[in-house]
Amino acid sequence: MKFKRKKKLFIVIITLLVLFPSLAFIITKELMRKRLGGYTEIIDPKPFFTDYNTIGIKNVNILNQEGNDFIANQQIILRNGVIQSIDSINVLDKSITYIDGKGKYLIPSLTDTHVHLKHSKNDLYLYLANGVTTVWEMFGSDIHLEWRAEQQNGAISPKLFVASQKLNSQEGLLQWLRKYAWWDINITSVNDVRPWIQKIKSKGFDAIKIGSYLNKQIFDAILKEAKSENMIVMGHLPLEISFEEIYASGISELAHIEEIARRMENDFGGLTYNNFDEYIAYMQKHADSVAIRLRENNIAVSTTIWLMESVPSQKFDTENFIKTIEIEYANPTISEGKILSFLMFKGWFPNHNEYEDLETLNDPEWREDYINLVNTWLKGIQIVTKALHKNGTTILAGTDANATGVVAGFSLHDELQTLVENGFTNAEALYTATISPANWANKTNGIIQQGFDADLLLLNKNPLEDIKNTKSIEMVFFNSFYLEKESRAKLLTEIKKSNDKIRTIDISMWK
């Protein structure tokens, strides 16, 4: 009997040891799904979008192929999502339905080259509502590959470019945190590089995303293997990798201008409370040479500059910052941050914002110095932005959407405005979200040209006169669908209603 009891106890213990990790994994996965916006009710987009076979736009001003002027009084025919013809002939085909574009402006629809969809599928429709018909997902997963396949099979969605999860190479506890808490791919042996690259390729990812925490050995192995597999490598500038090593690496794109500024800051020796002037002088002296070398080595840079410029407001005046963004459309489980009452993640709101440092802000001895430190850090990023622009580095408009305070779709218009404030002309800013990403990705969009994709944006005001006019949306064309102004308003209302169903923070004070 004693032996049987021990045997039963042993079986129970073994069963618990087997089940507990599995149960913990399932619970963690579901919690993270909620944290990533996966519990928000997905709207049905079909009532808001019209499928077309052939349609024309007449009497419209069309942006030229250089993106710097409009050609007046044009007519354009779209057939099955492709531009069939463009001309100035006033004779109309009576078999085609025409939209009167008199006094309106037709431009290529927009591309956001740095987003994080997470599990927030309604964001796809936010992008379309804002004229963003191509997005680059920069922390891809199987669910994003599924969404891309759905789009390719005719679903209502922007075109999706999907990069892999971040590749890092940290040891010890950090490797487990990166794998299970942050969902990174953490590679600690060169021998594991090839299997991972082959797995990423076999799943169908468009690119390999590298993280900030890669050592030189693993970094070199990834670039070598990616080259042999003819795969794009893009992402962060790893902390252990020098500029010279980046220039020679074959990497195609660096995500975030602030990554470049951070590397320069590290080379300087670090920004402190005592070296503001020296830091700015260093950045001004070296930014041009960095920009030139990036251009010479065909390394593009995604911007995400609006987010960086929002950091001081988010840190020091979160209440008023929230009033400036379209918070009602942000997925609540992402913006609110919390999962359960006992399990909290930082969100976007006051006293819970990821960028806030309440202890320092509430210390009168340090507050002013801290504000000056953050503003000096931001000025360094702006110096780099202007140097990249001045020296002809390939610049791609990206927003880091769903990062703290960055609302999907709306944020790209803010990004373009920020670029203009940093010295870009309206045409140059527009170029970074149309022609530049299309050329980089070798795609047939971004330009209004016969045979190219009919991904277009009909505006009521001229964006070359004021970049804010990219928001004056009359119609959005993509694939073989279009979205009219009235339907756009209803679509946004539907997304807000979906968000309101799970909202736990009253946002009325900010709207």
Side-chain angles (χ1 to χ4, degrees):
M1 289 292 291
K2 189 178 289 186
F3 173 76
K4 288 183 177 180
R5 284 197 299 270
K6 286 184 177 179
K7 184 179 179 180
K8 287 181 179 178
L9 180 61
F10 177 75
I11 292 171
V12 170
I13 291 172
I14 293 299
T15 302
L16 287 173
L17 288 173
V18 171
L19 290 179
F20 181 76
S22 300
L23 185 61
F25 177 77
I26 292 170
I27 292 172
T28 301
K29 187 176 180 180
E30 285 304 301
L31 289 174
M32 289 307 296
R33 180 185 167 214
K34 182 178 181 182
R35 171 69 181 98
L36 296 172
Y39 279 18
T40 308
E41 182 180 292
I42 300 169
I43 69 163
D44 178 8
K46 292 178 183 177
F48 309 102
F49 295 87
T50 302
D51 194 356
Y52 74 90
N53 177 271
T54 305
I55 197 167
I57 309 171
K58 64 181 181 179
N59 305 320
V60 69
N61 302 298
I62 292 181
L63 190 68
N64 65 16
Q65 293 180 20
E66 293 73 33
N68 58 13
D69 199 5
F70 281 96
I71 306 170
N73 195 32
Q74 299 291 291
Q75 73 169 358
I76 182 170
I77 308 297
L78 316 179
R79 188 183 299 277
N80 296 323
V82 176
I83 298 171
Q84 179 178 304
S85 64
I86 308 168
D87 58 53
S88 56
I89 300 172
N90 293 320
V91 178
L92 304 180
D93 186 335
K94 294 182 180 179
S95 67
I96 295 175
T97 300
Y98 284 87
I99 296 160
D100 191 357
K102 186 174 180 61
K104 294 181 172 55
Y105 301 84
L106 192 68
I107 67 170
S109 55
L110 308 176
T111 296
D112 190 332
T113 67
H114 196 112
V115 314
H116 296 289
L117 290 164
K118 302 187 178 182
H119 288 196
S120 188
K121 194 172 187 180
N122 285 346
D123 287 0
L124 297 176
Y125 314 125
L126 284 179
Y127 286 114
L128 294 176
N130 282 281
V132 183
T133 65
T134 301
V135 296
W136 295 7
E137 167 55 45
M138 293 303 291
F139 197 98
S141 66
D142 290 347
I143 194 169
H144 303 128
L145 295 177
E146 291 172 11
W147 293 353
R148 187 186 65 186
E150 291 171 2
Q151 183 274 318
Q152 292 171 345
N153 287 323
I156 295 171
S157 166
K159 293 181 173 71
L160 298 178
F161 174 100
V162 184
S164 71
Q165 297 156 270
K166 284 187 293 187
L167 274 62
N168 285 295
S169 58
Q170 292 194 286
E171 303 280 355
L173 177 62
L174 285 172
Q175 70 175 296
W176 299 105
L177 285 172
R178 292 219 160 265
K179 182 175 181 181
Y180 294 111
W182 299 318
W183 294 6
D184 288 359
I185 297 170
N186 200 72
I187 305 174
T188 56
S189 170
V190 170
N191 295 330
D192 293 333
V193 170
R194 185 173 186 181
W196 268 115
I197 299 303
Q198 291 179 333
K199 184 176 181 180
I200 290 168
K201 182 177 183 178
S202 67
K203 282 195 168 188
F205 287 99
D206 294 300
I208 298 161
K209 169 80 177 287
I210 60 172
S212 299
Y213 304 98
L214 275 175
N215 64 46
K216 178 72 163 58
Q217 189 179 29
I218 301 294
F219 175 79
D220 288 342
I222 289 170
L223 269 295
K224 181 180 179 181
E225 191 61 34
K227 185 177 181 180
S228 71
E229 295 290 343
N230 196 31
M231 287 202 72
I232 297 167
V233 179
M234 59 199 306
H236 291 209
L237 203 168
L239 295 170
E240 295 186 23
I241 309 301
S242 69
F243 275 127
E244 289 299 327
E245 291 163 339
I246 282 290
Y247 300 145
S249 68
I251 192 171
S252 298
E253 182 253 24
L254 290 176
H256 314 293
I257 289 176
E258 70 266 22
E259 292 281 321
I260 300 168
R262 181 176 65 174
R263 162 54 58 201
M264 293 178 67
E265 179 188 338
N266 289 347
D267 292 346
F268 166 69
L271 175 63
T272 70
Y273 288 106
N274 301 313
N275 62 5
F276 293 172
D277 292 341
E278 293 85 352
Y279 169 73
I280 293 301
Y282 178 90
M283 299 297 281
Q284 290 172 333
K285 181 178 179 181
H286 295 280
D288 285 337
S289 61
V290 170
I292 290 168
R293 293 294 300 279
L294 290 172
R295 184 197 70 213
E296 290 174 345
N297 288 280
N298 298 315
I299 301 173
V301 181
S302 185
T303 56
T304 67
I305 187 71
W306 179 88
L307 173 58
M308 295 300 99
E309 293 201 353
S310 79
V311 169
S313 295
Q314 296 203 57
K315 276 184 175 293
F316 310 131
D317 193 11
T318 317
E319 288 279 357
N320 283 321
F321 169 76
I322 294 296
K323 294 176 183 179
T324 68
I325 63 174
E326 298 80 3
I327 191 64
E328 64 269 37
Y329 302 113
N331 193 308
T333 54
I334 294 173
S335 61
E336 292 179 2
K338 64 184 180 180
I339 294 179
L340 297 171
S341 58
F342 60 87
L343 184 59
M344 299 293 290
F345 285 81
K346 289 285 189 179
W348 301 9
F349 291 93
N351 302 313
H352 189 54
N353 183 287
E354 185 175 349
Y355 288 112
E356 281 180 316
D357 183 346
L358 297 175
E359 184 177 351
T360 304
L361 287 177
N362 293 328
D363 186 339
E365 184 179 350
W366 287 102
R367 178 179 170 85
E368 185 176 349
D369 285 341
Y370 185 44
I371 291 173
N372 289 334
L373 178 74
V374 172
N375 286 331
T376 302
W377 163 83
L378 176 58
K379 188 174 181 180
I381 294 171
Q382 292 168 332
I383 289 169
V384 174
T385 302
K386 292 171 183 177
L388 294 170
H389 173 226
K390 180 177 72 172
N391 290 287
T393 310
T394 298
I395 297 175
L396 310 168
T399 67
D400 218 358
N402 276 329
T404 306
V406 188
V407 183
F410 297 92
S411 57
L412 187 56
H413 298 277
D414 296 328
E415 189 75 19
L416 298 181
Q417 185 177 336
T418 300
L419 292 177
V420 169
E421 292 167 356
N422 278 273
F424 290 64
T425 66
N426 296 325
E428 289 168 340
L430 194 59
Y431 189 98
T432 69
T434 53
I435 300 172
S436 190
N439 287 346
W440 185 92
N442 195 28
K443 299 295 184 181
T444 53
N445 63 342
I447 300 174
I448 303 179
Q449 180 177 322
Q450 183 178 355
F452 273 48
D453 297 350
D455 295 349
L456 305 168
L457 195 52
L458 186 63
L459 303 174
N460 289 307
K461 298 179 182 178
N462 187 346
L464 299 186
E465 293 179 354
D466 187 339
I467 198 62
K468 293 178 184 177
N469 290 338
T470 57
K471 297 179 181 181
S472 65
I473 298 171
E474 180 66 25
M475 294 182 73
V476 182
F477 299 86
F478 66 100
N479 304 331
S480 59
F481 298 96
Y482 62 81
L483 175 67
E484 297 179 278
K485 185 176 182 179
E486 295 77 11
S487 296
R488 176 180 183 268
K490 293 175 183 177
L491 170 66
L492 291 173
T493 298
E494 195 69 17
I495 293 174
K496 182 180 179 298
K497 287 179 181 178
S498 176
N499 288 342
D500 288 342
K501 290 176 183 178
I502 62 167
R503 201 181 300 285
T504 64
I505 294 177
D506 180 8
I507 64 170
S508 60
M509 69 186 80
W510 294 292
K511 300 313 296 179

